[in-house]
């Protein structure tokens, strides 16, 4: 294979790996709260069902799929996490043990 072909192949693989990440806004709702306690820029990533959310304040979520039902995960501490509907095309909701993370694709409110 020519050097140019190897470089193109490498770039294609690198771009494909990045295609499953998106900049987002994360609103954090403490358990039982009706208003978010904080809003952050975050990066949402999904690879083969595994989800990571990296908040701008340094908090990092790592969810692995569990069971046979879609939307059921465990966090890095083994606690259940549930993906819920309610935001439509605007984003995703994740219910954790102590809080809920609302992931919005539109970050304009933070700019």
């Amino acid at each position: 294979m020519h050097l140019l072909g190897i470089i193109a192949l490498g770039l294609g693989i690198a771009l494909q790996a990045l295609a499953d990440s998106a900049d987002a806004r994360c609103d954090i709702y403490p358990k039982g709260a009706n208003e978010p306690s904080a809003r952050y820029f975050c990066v949402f990533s999904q690879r083969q069902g595994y989800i990571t959310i990296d908040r701008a304040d340094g908090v990092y979520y790592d969810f692995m799929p569990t069971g046979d039902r879609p939307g059921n995960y465990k966090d890095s501490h083994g606690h259940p996490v549930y993906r819920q509907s309610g935001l439509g095309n605007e984003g995703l909701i994740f219910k954790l043990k102590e809080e809920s993370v609302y992931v919005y694709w539109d970050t304009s409110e933070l700019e």
Side-chain angles (χ1 to χ4, degrees), residues 25-45:
R25 181 186 93 216
C26 288
D27 290 5
I28 310 304
Y29 287 78
K31 190 171 188 169
N34 292 327
E35 296 291 325
S37 61
R39 289 190 166 123
Y40 302 99
F41 278 111
C42 59
V43 176
F44 173 88
S45 299

Side-chain angles (χ1 to χ4, degrees), residues 1-11:
M1 187 177 261
H2 295 96
L3 181 57
L4 188 56
I6 293 171
I7 292 171
L9 178 63
L11 285 174

Side-chain angles (χ1 to χ4, degrees), residues 57-74:
D57 66 340
V59 173
Y60 185 82
Y61 303 97
D62 192 12
F63 307 146
M64 73 168 113
T66 184
D68 295 335
R69 300 185 70 173
N72 291 334
Y73 300 89
K74 287 196 179 197

